[in-house]
Structures are given as C-alpha cells and as structure tokens.
C-alpha cells in the first residue's frame, strides 16, 4: 500500500529480500538525521552519531533490516555502494559514508540462519528510487510478524508500511517495519487488526494476557525476538536537535497503534530525516510525525 506516499527531494528508498528476510535502504542527499531508541532489546549501528550533541551533522543512508544482529552486515553493502560513488565525508584521500541501521528479529527458519548480508544491502541501495516505493511483505518487512506472545504459530503476518501527511506545502512521511510482540490496533476504532490469535481465530488481546499474568512465562521466552523499526522524513528544514525531537515523538505514533509497545522483548527504534528547505512550526511537525507513524504502522499489516 503506497497511496499518496511521497518523499522529500533527494531521498530514495529501495528494497531487497528473499523468501525469508530482507532489507530496506533509505538513501539521502546529506540529510540531517536523528534517532530515538525506546525498546529494551535494540540492534543498531551508528545511532550514537545521530544524537543531538554529536558533531556530525548529516547522514548518507538509513538501513532497516531483518536478520537480528546478523543483519547488521547489510549496512556494509550500502556503505560499499556509496563509497563507489564518492558519497560520504572526506578524510584525506578516503571517503567514509555515514550509514545508520536498525534491525528486527525474523530468524524464523527452524533449520537455517537467514539474514540480509552485504550483497542484499548493496542490492537494496541499487534499487532505491524517489517514487513508486513498494510496501507490504518486502524489504525489512519480508519476515515480519505481530502478536507473538504465543509464538509464531499464533501470530499474524506483517510487513513494512508507508504513509504521508501534509500541512500546506510541508509534509512528513514514514516507513515502518512492524515486527511487534504486541497487537496492532486501528487507532480510530480501538479494534485489533493484527495480533495473536486463539485456536478459534479470534484475537487474543496481548495486553490483557500480560496484565492478568496468564502468559507471563511465554512472554519471557519471547524476549528479544521482535522489534518495530522505521523512519520519519520531512521536507521541512530542521537542525539536529529538532530532528532528534521528531524521532522521539514518532514513537507516540507507535504507541497509538501497537499495544504493548517498547517492551523488553522489542528493540523499537525510529530514525528521522530532514531533507528540504520548508519552514514549519516544530509542534506541528511533531503532531504530523506521530500521526503518520501510526498510519504507516497500521498500513504495514494491511497486506
């Protein structure tokens, strides 16, 4: 589902995947980047450089992938792709691309370790384009599932979703790969639209099961096997402190549509990118970021 999904000028998105897992690459034109890590079990690369107090002011790419910690190799392929094109910051006669990444756990093949490697990351960068971006069970969302308190046998298939919201000529777009322990809700109706199912096909309601303690042991067994990751992007001109604030507030959108969210069994991580010259009130942008993240989250399970 892509609807009216648009990207700021200078940003491109590409996917690569196999039958089990995948990677999504977001290439930028030296966008100002930020990040917020809220989940208890994250797997990341180069997130520290994006924090507001660090000296580096831009990022060349953001990578979202499956594969748990093994999938961090995918960023090496993106880095190689950019190096070949002279993209990065210059250090003497060398160029060093700045590539940030977050991973989710989708090691679901009982017989093999399948994860996005360097070649898959390179391919995702090769396919990056500014429009016509595909969503669903592709890229980082290829092996994603939601509602795993009872394990994969009771979970729903998920994927990667996208959405864009406008305020006059300013917009915020989001891509979110949803692989949550919890259930996904329609934020407007309050109804579960994807999550753990009982044997009769009804949704279980993970929050109720956790709070009444019935499935506490099962939840402990699922620790670290989930995680929702994504990125919000705007054509508004923001500094590094502001773009980090945008990343922080985008987690409100996850909380609107995923329950529970930010558990110790999830590594929920959201990036933010500013690529443009539009002026906008930061409070308006934050409201847009939360709303668009919620929309993208719900779109990820509407396969």
């Amino acid at each position: 589902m892509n609807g009216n999904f648009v990207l700021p000028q200078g940003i491109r998105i590409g996917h690569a995947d196999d039958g089990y897992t995948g990677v999504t690459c977001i290439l930028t034109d030296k966008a100002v980047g930020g990040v917020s890590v809220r989940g208890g079990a994250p797997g990341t690369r180069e997130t520290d450089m994006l924090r507001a107090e660090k000296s580096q002011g831009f990022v060349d790419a953001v990578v979202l992938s499956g594969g748990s910690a093994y999938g961090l190799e995918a960023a090496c392929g993106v880095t190689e792709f950019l190096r070949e094109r002279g993209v990065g910051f210059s250090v003497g006669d060398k160029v060093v691309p700045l590539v940030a990444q977050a991973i989710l756990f989708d090691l679901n093949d009982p017989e093999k370790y399948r994860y996005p490697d360097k070649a898959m990351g390179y391919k995702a960068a090769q396919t990056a384009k500014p429009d016509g971006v595909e969503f669903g069970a592709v890229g980082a969302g290829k092996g994603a599932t939601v509602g795993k308190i009872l394990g994969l046998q009771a979970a729903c298939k998920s994927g990667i979703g996208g959405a864009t919201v406008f305020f006059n000529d300013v917009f915020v777009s989001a891509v979110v790969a949803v692989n949550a322990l919890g259930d996904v809700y329609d934020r407007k109706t309050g109804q579960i639209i994807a999550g753990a199912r009982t044997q009769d096909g009804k949704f279980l309601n993970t929050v109720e099961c956790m709070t009444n303690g019935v499935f506490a042991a099962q939840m402990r067994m699922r620790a670290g096997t989930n995680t929702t990751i994504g990125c919000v992007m705007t054509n508004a001109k923001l500094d590094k402190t502001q773009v980090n604030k945008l990343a922080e507030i985008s987690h409100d959108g996850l909380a609107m549509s995923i329950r529970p969210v930010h558990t110790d069994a999830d590594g929920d991580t959201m990036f933010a990118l500013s690529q443009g010259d539009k002026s906008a009130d930061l409070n308006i942008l934050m409201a847009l970021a939360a709303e668009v993240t919620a929309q993208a989250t719900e779109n990820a399970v509407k396969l």
Side-chain angles (χ1 to χ4, degrees):
M1 300 180 65
N2 60 4
N4 296 318
F5 180 80
V6 296
L7 289 170
Q9 187 173 359
I11 292 182
R12 296 170 289 152
I13 296 179
H15 302 299
D17 51 62
D18 57 20
Y20 297 87
T21 188
V23 56
T24 297
C25 176
I26 304 170
L27 298 180
T28 83
D29 184 12
K30 296 196 181 323
V32 180
V35 68
S36 178
V37 181
R38 297 284 183 89
T44 60
R45 164 189 161 132
E46 293 280 34
T47 49
D48 277 351
M49 76 167 180
L50 297 180
R51 301 189 189 281
E53 74 276 11
K54 304 305 180 184
S55 61
Q56 186 56 55
F58 64 88
V59 62
D60 296 306
V62 169
V63 178
L64 310 174
S65 82
S68 189
Y70 296 101
L72 291 170
E73 181 185 330
C76 295
V78 177
T79 302
E80 185 71 12
F81 175 88
L82 294 172
R83 182 196 64 80
E84 291 175 356
R85 289 152 182 79
V87 176
F89 74 92
S90 297
V91 184
D93 62 347
K94 300 291 190 297
V95 62
V96 181
L98 300 178
V99 179
Q101 183 181 7
I103 52 89
L104 55 80
F105 184 99
D106 60 357
L107 300 175
N108 301 326
D109 186 334
E111 298 180 357
K112 297 181 179 180
Y113 283 88
R114 299 180 184 270
Y115 57 88
D117 58 11
K118 184 176 180 179
M120 191 180 288
Y122 191 99
K123 183 178 179 180
Q126 277 185 315
T127 64
K129 53 187 179 180
D131 52 33
V133 180
E134 184 182 0
F135 293 105
V138 297
K142 185 67 177 183
T145 52
V146 296
K148 285 169 282 187
I149 195 169
L150 296 181
L152 285 175
Q153 71 278 4
C156 282
K157 185 70 185 80
S158 183
I160 188 168
T164 301
V165 292
F166 284 84
F167 181 80
N168 297 326
D169 61 347
V170 176
F171 64 85
V172 180
S173 294
V175 293
V176 184
V178 183
N179 191 57
L181 170 75
D183 307 315
V184 176
Y185 285 71
D186 182 318
R187 68 199 181 287
K188 294 182 178 179
T189 67
Q191 299 299 308
I192 298 174
I193 57 176
R197 292 185 181 274
T198 59
Q199 290 185 347
D200 60 4
K202 296 180 180 179
F203 289 119
L204 185 66
N205 194 316
T206 299
V207 170
E208 288 185 2
C209 291
M210 289 173 61
T211 54
N212 66 23
V214 172
F215 294 107
Q218 286 90 332
M219 183 183 172
R220 286 193 294 271
M221 292 172 61
R222 308 299 167 196
T225 60
N226 308 283
T227 297
T228 295
I229 53 179
C231 183
V232 292
M233 300 153 281
T234 182
N235 65 340
K237 186 175 182 179
L238 301 177
D239 61 30
K240 199 171 183 185
T241 297
Q242 292 171 323
V243 81
N244 269 278
K245 187 66 175 178
L246 208 64
E248 291 174 8
I249 209 72
S250 69
H251 281 276
D252 287 9
L254 297 185
M256 290 161 64
S257 298
I258 301 173
R259 306 174 201 168
V261 71
H262 305 145
T263 73
D264 275 350
D266 293 275
D268 303 332
T269 299
M270 290 295 296
F271 295 95
L273 299 172
S274 168
Q275 184 90 67
D277 58 3
K278 302 297 182 182
S279 297
D281 184 277
L282 182 60
N283 292 299
I284 293 174
L285 290 174
M286 290 192 297
L288 297 179
E291 173 62 21
V292 76
T293 300
Q295 288 185 23
T297 299
E298 293 169 27
N299 287 343
V301 301
K302 297 175 181 178
L303 304 180

